[in-house]
Amino acid sequence: MLSTFSGLPRTAWIVFAGTIVNRLGFMVTPFLVYYLGSRGISTDQVPYVLGALGAGNLVGPIVGGLLADRRGRRPTMVTGLVGVAASHGLLFAAPNVLFLALAAVLLSITGSMVSPAASALVAESVGPERRRSAFSLVHWAVNIGTAGAGMLGGFLATKGYWLLFLVDASGSLTYAVIAATLLPVGSRSKSTAADGGGIGYGVVFRDPLMRMLLPLLGVSIAIYSLTEAGLPLAIRDDGLSPTVLGLMATVNAVLVVILQPIATSVLSGLPQLRVYVAASTLIAIGVALTGVANTAWGYAGTVVLWSLGEASIGGIHSSIIQSIAPEHARGRYQGAFQWSWGIARFSALTIGTAVYAHAGPAVLWWFSAVAGVAAALGVGALAPAISRRTAVPEPAPEPEPEPDADPVAR
């Protein structure tokens, strides 16, 4: 089962271990609403803090990608992780809503700085033929850590919310130490505006392939993010208890943790774009079928479908982005992708819930089916362009020896 991951370089395994440690400490955000309630924050003030948390996710990836290319991968990771630990302390000590919102912005900015740098570092450590396995390994670490945090967080919250903050900060600092002592610095860009590389994100948005790819990936991510927004609303409207929602989250976590290494091994021989199209289509159909479920078993069936798609995709998103990125701009390409991810998730949580409430659930679920399948096929249609970008150039043939102009002279 794990044979696909064998032979991956030390850097990939260090990022894998550090990611698990860090994600095991991902407890404050899921329980933030409950923590704010314990602080006496009124319901009408909670959106200010949650909105600040979402806004930071639109800034952090951009900053992280730029710093990863300009200052180096490892320094950017360490800066972000230490910033996360400090932000948790500020969030816990914040005296009022204004400071809670400011701390939430800082938390999400520093937290989302880490991924672009880590992805660029992993991409540098492996050849193109192993990149898909390496990113699948990192994605698996995210799911392992998140599943553990979900189970541990509920227990710790009953003992005191300060424990959540302590564990989160400790996990970030531990990963920072791991990164600072065990990871290589990673390259940084030597390009300048004069050589066409630019000093910002122009190098990304001048790329026509990225301009087509990012919106298509964003649509698929937004539909997947409806599992955080539309699914809870549907379960609630069917009169089912919050326990059912918790069970659905558990089913998803367990399936992905168990199945992702198996899927990576079984599907490793297939072109990654074909796997992406099939898995993304499965996610879209699974999410759309939420609209016909009305029992716990029915919802479980839909969760199984989109969880199978999630396990099959693994880290293919990041692998595709890194495969088409020029070496000097890997951090910014990944930062742009993470920024698109933040926009997609923010749209799902805001626009998605508004459509559910005002246009009706059926509109949301039909959109998920149609737009999700269309976006997956759109990415598949870009396969020739991606293949041309990632093709290894054939070595030039050796020149034929020139015939002797004067054989008599020889």
Side-chain angles (χ1 to χ4, degrees):
M1 180 174 73
L2 298 178
S3 59
T4 303
F5 300 140
S6 64
L8 288 175
R10 179 172 178 265
T11 295
W13 286 104
I14 293 171
V15 172
F16 170 78
T19 300
I20 290 178
V21 170
N22 191 37
R23 296 297 297 194
L24 280 171
F26 191 72
M27 299 181 188
V28 168
T29 301
F31 291 91
L32 186 57
V33 171
Y34 294 94
Y35 169 69
L36 295 175
S38 73
R39 289 280 306 272
I41 304 300
S42 62
T43 302
D44 61 329
Q45 292 178 315
V46 168
Y48 295 117
V49 181
L50 298 185
L53 197 66
N57 285 323
L58 304 180
V59 178
I62 298 296
V63 175
L66 188 61
L67 290 178
D69 284 340
R70 297 303 167 190
R71 301 302 179 191
R73 319 315 193 191
R74 187 178 72 187
T76 301
M77 292 176 66
V78 172
T79 299
L81 291 164
V82 172
V84 169
S87 300
H88 277 109
L90 294 173
L91 187 63
F92 183 73
N96 53 45
V97 172
L98 174 60
F99 284 96
L100 283 166
L102 291 174
V105 167
L106 183 61
L107 174 61
S108 55
I109 288 176
T110 53
S112 55
M113 282 174 54
V114 178
S115 182
S119 295
L121 196 59
V122 170
E124 289 172 351
S125 71
V126 296
E129 71 283 352
R130 300 304 309 277
R131 201 165 282 154
R132 174 176 165 186
S133 296
F135 281 112
S136 180
L137 180 69
V138 175
H139 187 264
W140 189 37
V142 171
N143 284 302
I144 292 172
T146 302
M151 293 183 285
L152 185 58
F155 170 75
L156 292 179
T158 63
K159 306 298 181 183
Y161 288 107
W162 66 273
L163 288 170
L164 302 183
F165 286 88
L166 178 62
V167 172
D168 277 25
S170 299
S172 297
L173 289 176
T174 301
Y175 191 11
V177 171
I178 291 172
T181 57
L182 299 178
L183 285 175
V185 174
S187 66
R188 55 183 179 179
S189 174
K190 297 180 178 63
S191 64
T192 64
D195 66 17
I199 59 173
Y201 277 83
V203 65
V204 179
F205 296 113
R206 284 193 299 269
D207 185 340
L209 185 53
M210 281 292 280
R211 290 201 303 267
M212 292 184 287
L213 190 58
L214 287 179
L216 294 172
L217 294 177
V219 170
S220 297
I221 293 166
I223 290 169
Y224 172 78
S225 298
L226 290 175
T227 60
E228 300 178 63
L231 178 62
L233 291 172
I235 289 175
R236 183 201 65 183
D237 289 351
D238 279 329
L240 301 174
S241 71
T243 303
V244 174
L245 179 60
L247 289 173
M248 297 305 105
T250 302
V251 169
N252 169 244
V254 170
L255 282 176
V256 174
V257 168
I258 293 175
L259 295 179
Q260 185 172 328
I262 300 174
T264 302
S265 178
V266 171
L267 302 175
S268 61
L270 300 176
Q272 66 176 2
L273 278 173
R274 291 184 185 177
V275 174
Y276 173 83
V277 171
S280 187
T281 299
L282 190 59
I283 290 173
I285 294 173
V287 171
L289 288 175
T290 303
V292 301
N294 52 27
T295 66
W297 284 107
Y299 283 112
T302 68
V303 171
V304 168
L305 282 179
W306 55 261
S307 296
L308 287 173
E310 181 184 357
S312 300
I313 280 183
I316 290 179
H317 298 95
S318 294
S319 178
I320 293 172
I321 296 298
Q322 289 298 320
S323 69
I324 66 175
E327 184 177 350
H328 69 270
R330 282 176 173 155
R332 282 167 287 170
Y333 268 63
Q334 190 65 28
F337 169 59
Q338 293 293 333
W339 177 66
S340 299
W341 189 298
I343 291 177
R345 183 172 179 271
F346 187 75
S347 299
L349 296 177
T350 54
I351 300 175
T353 53
V355 169
Y356 183 100
H358 300 291
V363 174
L364 186 66
W365 305 128
W366 274 109
F367 170 82
S368 299
V370 175
V373 173
L377 294 176
V379 173
L382 294 176
I386 294 173
S387 297
R388 287 194 296 271
R389 178 75 64 87
T390 58
V392 178
E394 295 183 4
E398 294 186 5
E400 294 277 342
E402 295 185 6
D404 207 330
D406 187 1
V408 175
R410 188 174 51 188

